Amino acid sequence: MDIASTLTDVIEHSDHLELVTDGPRFLIYALDPRTIRFRASFDPEFVPELSYTLVRTAWPDAADEVLGEERTHVEALHLTPNDEDGAVTFSTGEYTVTVAKHPFAISIADSEGRIVHRDLAGRSWLADNNGRLSHYSALSQDDLFYGFGEKVGPLNKARRRMRMHNLDTMGWNPLATDPLYKHVPFYIHVDPRQGLAHGMFYNNSYDSVFDVDCEHSNYWEHYSYYQTDGGDLDLFFIGGPTVRDVVAGYTALTGTSALQPLASLGYMGSTMYYTELEAGSDQAILDFVDLCAEHQIPCDGFFASSGYTSSPDNKRYVFTWNTTRFPDPKGFVQALSDKGVLLAPNIKPGMLTTHPLTGEFDEAGGFVKDPSGEHSQIDQFWGGPAHFVDFTDPAGREVWSRHMTSSLIDLGVTSIWNDNNEFEIADDAALVHAEGLKLPIGAVRPVMANLMSKVSHDAVIAHDPNTRPYIISRSGFAGIQRYAQTWAGDNFTSWDSLRHNVTTVLGLGLSGLANTGCDVGGFAGPAPEPELFVRWVQNGIFFPRFSIHSCNDDNTVTEPWMYPSVTQEISAAIRLRYTLVPYLYSLLREAHVSGAPVMRPLVYEFEDDPRAREESFEFMLGSSLLVSSVLTQGETEHTVYLPAGAAWLDLATRTTYEGGQEITIPVELGSIPMFLRSGGIVATCPGLMNLHRQRIEHLDLLLEPSETASFVHYEDDGATNEYLDGHFHTTTYAIRPEAGRVVLDVANGGLDASKVETMTLDIACRTHCPVTITVAGREIERNLHGERLGAEDEGWYFDGEKNRAIVQYRTPREDHQVVVDFGVKDLLGL
């Protein structure tokens, strides 16, 4: 075993420090005052720099050319070491790093001297006799740990042991299965005693393990460790002090979520069944879209499973079409488009040895090679032995992109579903090109899904630079969010899955993947029973990715109308999803700009509330809306925890509750418990049925005006890349409660004008009715009989039953104020 026991030298460079120990050597960079890189190598030379993940670097990297403008090269901070008695210290301006000389250990303190990270002294950085590298950190037993990518179980991962590896885990257990499809070696560590958070990202894509106080030795204080099968120990410390700060810092390092087309927020129909029909799959899908319309169910897309590529021998050959099922693929894509529906075809990176294109790919050198580097590697895949495309090789990327373009994109496809991309190659020594570095597949396996998604993204843009791609990927490594919407794979149909899939998605959001979801209704297993199906849809409408997808083992097909007795509840829930699209799209843009999750665990917004830190199933949609879905069978009374630090308006009853308490409310089959936060602002558009063909010209703004708060409503054309040149519109709504009145400041931004022509404000009034309301300095007429106020009329009325003021007006084009005066009018004149 090789271990860092003693610091023997410190070498100061202009942009980094080099530490020499009796074990590994360290390179330390500070990208900014809160992002510090600690890179340790136990070999004479460091592994060559190759990261497809980092979007900010201060050193040359073999992937610089591949990533191009995605990556920014920054100048690292100059670090000045100070040699003190028994330790060396240096500061980034916000954090001070102390390196104990013996036993070697690194600790990090914030600007107030509070320790946020400590190595486990005497057992900090080591390489075992099997070649595995480990980093040990000290912890306290009440510390909290979040993130780790796609994981099952409670949100707080303390006392868990988790493996990082990509597998095709169809029908996974929502309480026990580990690993799943994604590999994200990042976590957030919260010290609840000091109220401090920091992040740890290990920039290494070898298989690895995190142990978070699951293992315990009586001879050591409590600890966590990260252990990897190869490469270097390459740690990025990301400072807080809040969970929100850590997520922002992590996504500044690995990239924020892509701003995908507006229509990606629509309902995406899908099932394995249609593309496996003997013939007429195209018409079956078109009929599905028509049935959605008949049932008043909006639909904006269809995910086409891989049966469209099946050959006469029932093998799936990517980039081919089964012309019995789809006689006219281009005509089919156009027919869907005419109905306002996109097609997202499924593609897979494993090419069977019998595939008609195998020879061309092999001759181009586009496959992963065997350990000798002389032949293409063969391994098991869906349908038999297969080769795997090497996306770290320019040749592999080129030939894949060319065939994807000719078989799909040339037909009018702008959405690509990257599936089965876990690259389950059994021999970790199989070779990949790695931009000329020739590395084993074990070094880059999870990154392959990222690059596959990047190739899909880039191919759509290469075909039409002004088309915004909609890319989906099942697998991925840290940074996959830059290219693709993701989902948690082939879940099992059960009440446990419904409940615990929520936590999996929340953990992904804290790991930088803001645009995610789960198959609604369950993918594997039997059809969901009616109540389970209703509850799954009611919860799934809040996921950024909303798709009902199934491969039922009882010969059924999960469709919105499969149970006529509950179709009304299903339809109503999906229409609610569409009503929320202006809010959801604004949250997607916020995720694209700042990395903030769309679905947020309570701890993200209420970090100081001890109960919120442990809550796994309730969540915030953005900062304003708390969702407490019914996730238990047969529930007629539902318990909700309302976080401390805010008041909460029950949107069903318009009752206001103080935070920091648990309440019990009655629920029916159609109930979707939602609570508006004090200061909350939610933008909606009732009546939306298709995001391809309808413009959002009317906005309903739901306001709880008792606290100062703001919300940015975002608009663009929803389909092109012109937003990158500033062609979008933002409207910032800022609430200012004042003595006896509430002011809503409205400010415009962006190059384009807003498309919103009319507004309705739904203003919660806690105590009494307003006396006057003005918009842009002009008093709006009050109507005592709200039912007489037509949809196009201007005016306001008070709904006493729900304690709210409803205000309707045409949208001023300039910045303006809405002033709600709550003074009491003296009718008696006394």
Side-chain angles (χ1 to χ4, degrees), residues 784-821:
L784 290 177
H785 307 286
E787 67 276 6
R788 296 182 181 177
L789 192 64
E792 302 298 322
D793 294 338
E794 183 175 88
W796 73 275
Y797 67 93
F798 182 69
D799 179 350
E801 188 171 17
K802 295 184 177 181
N803 289 321
R804 60 178 181 169
I806 304 296
V807 189
Q808 296 180 184
Y809 58 93
R810 295 197 64 79
T811 309
R813 291 304 167 193
E814 66 281 353
D815 294 354
H816 61 279
Q817 290 183 336
V818 178
V819 180
V820 184
D821 188 344

Side-chain angles (χ1 to χ4, degrees), residues 295-352:
H295 288 285
Q296 289 294 295
I297 295 173
C299 180
D300 271 271
F302 196 89
F303 292 162
S305 296
S306 57
Y308 79 95
T309 68
S310 291
S311 65
D313 61 359
N314 203 31
K315 303 291 186 182
R316 286 163 167 77
Y317 294 145
V318 65
F319 303 142
T320 68
W321 284 85
N322 181 314
T323 54
T324 301
R325 296 170 178 173
F326 297 89
D328 179 11
K330 186 171 186 177
F332 169 62
V333 173
Q334 184 60 53
L336 277 178
S337 179
D338 291 343
K339 294 177 181 290
V341 174
L342 64 83
L343 181 72
N346 180 293
I347 61 174
K348 307 180 190 299
M351 298 184 71
L352 300 178

Side-chain angles (χ1 to χ4, degrees), residues 118-386:
R118 288 189 301 119
D119 283 352
L120 186 66
R123 193 183 182 182
S124 52
W125 304 73
L126 61 89
D128 67 18
N129 294 328
N130 293 317
R132 297 173 300 189
L133 313 178
S134 301
H135 175 225
Y136 283 75
S137 302
L139 55 81
S140 295
Q141 285 188 276
D142 56 351
D143 287 354
L144 305 136
F145 294 83
Y146 307 107
F148 301 97
E150 188 178 66
K151 294 297 174 186
V152 302
L155 187 72
N156 176 14
K157 305 302 185 199
R159 287 162 291 282
R160 290 280 305 280
R161 191 173 192 273
M162 294 159 287
R163 185 183 179 208
M164 294 288 160
H165 180 73
N166 306 67
L167 286 174
D168 182 345
T169 55
M170 180 172 172
W172 50 276
N173 184 311
L175 292 167
T177 302
D178 183 72
L180 296 178
Y181 303 87
K182 299 173 188 68
H183 179 149
V184 184
F186 164 75
Y187 68 84
I188 302 167
H189 180 171
V190 174
D191 176 349
R193 299 166 309 285
Q194 301 187 98
L196 297 176
H198 71 275
M200 305 283 266
F201 171 56
Y202 292 88
N203 182 39
N204 181 316
S205 48
Y206 276 91
D207 283 4
S208 59
V209 167
F210 285 96
D211 188 301
V212 188
D213 199 26
C214 181
E215 175 183 298
H216 175 62
S217 167
N218 191 47
Y219 302 108
W220 299 88
E221 63 179 309
H222 287 266
Y223 57 79
S224 67
Y225 68 79
Y226 164 81
Q227 184 178 82
T228 180
D229 287 352
D232 291 334
L233 285 170
D234 193 5
L235 167 64
F236 285 80
F237 167 87
I238 301 164
T242 67
V243 170
R244 182 189 299 268
D245 294 330
V246 175
V247 173
Y250 171 69
T251 53
L253 185 65
T254 63
T256 59
S257 293
L259 182 60
Q260 298 202 318
L262 177 68
S264 70
L265 289 171
Y267 165 44
M268 299 290 141
S270 190
T271 175
M272 289 281 292
Y273 183 82
Y274 292 149
T275 58
E276 298 296 332
L277 295 172
E278 290 296 323
S281 295
D282 53 353
Q283 191 57 51
I285 294 171
L286 291 169
D287 288 345
F288 170 87
V289 174
D290 291 341
L291 279 169
C292 283
E294 288 180 22
H295 288 285
Q296 289 294 295
I297 295 173
C299 180
D300 271 271
F302 196 89
F303 292 162
S305 296
S306 57
Y308 79 95
T309 68
S310 291
S311 65
D313 61 359
N314 203 31
K315 303 291 186 182
R316 286 163 167 77
Y317 294 145
V318 65
F319 303 142
T320 68
W321 284 85
N322 181 314
T323 54
T324 301
R325 296 170 178 173
F326 297 89
D328 179 11
K330 186 171 186 177
F332 169 62
V333 173
Q334 184 60 53
L336 277 178
S337 179
D338 291 343
K339 294 177 181 290
V341 174
L342 64 83
L343 181 72
N346 180 293
I347 61 174
K348 307 180 190 299
M351 298 184 71
L352 300 178
T353 54
T354 53
H355 194 300
L357 295 176
T358 294
E360 180 182 346
F361 272 75
D362 200 23
E363 186 177 343
F367 290 134
V368 174
K369 301 296 188 292
D370 65 13
S372 73
E374 297 180 3
H375 307 287
S376 295
Q377 176 76 11
I378 298 177
D379 218 309
Q380 188 64 26
F381 194 61
W382 189 354

Side-chain angles (χ1 to χ4, degrees), residues 580-638:
L580 288 167
V581 160
Y583 186 60
L584 288 167
Y585 195 52
S586 299
L587 295 178
L588 272 187
R589 196 259 184 170
E590 183 182 352
H592 177 63
V593 171
S594 72
V598 175
M599 283 176 60
R600 304 172 183 178
L602 298 192
V603 67
Y604 185 90
E605 293 286 339
F606 302 95
E607 196 168 332
D608 294 334
D609 183 341
R611 171 76 179 267
R613 295 173 189 152
E614 297 284 0
E615 176 57 48
S616 295
F617 306 112
E618 292 180 9
F619 57 88
M620 298 294 295
L621 192 67
S623 62
S624 293
L625 197 62
L626 185 149
V627 179
S628 181
S629 299
V630 179
L631 305 174
T632 304
Q633 185 176 15
E635 207 170 73
T636 58
E637 290 190 331
H638 182 67

Side-chain angles (χ1 to χ4, degrees), residues 74-89:
V74 301
E75 184 176 343
L77 304 181
H78 179 75
L79 302 174
T80 302
N82 299 300
D83 197 338
E84 302 175 357
D85 185 26
V88 172
T89 66

Side-chain angles (χ1 to χ4, degrees), residues 12 53 66 146 168 176 180 356 360-362 379 392 397 408 425 504 543 568 582 633 637 661 665 682 689 715 771:
E12 182 178 353
T53 298
V66 178
Y146 307 107
D168 182 345
L180 296 178
E360 180 182 346
F361 272 75
D362 200 23
D379 218 309
T392 71
R397 294 192 292 263
L408 298 174
I425 296 173
T504 297
F543 290 0
Q568 180 178 344
Q633 185 176 15
E637 290 190 331
Q661 66 169 319
I665 58 173
V682 176
M689 293 295 289
E715 305 170 68
V771 62

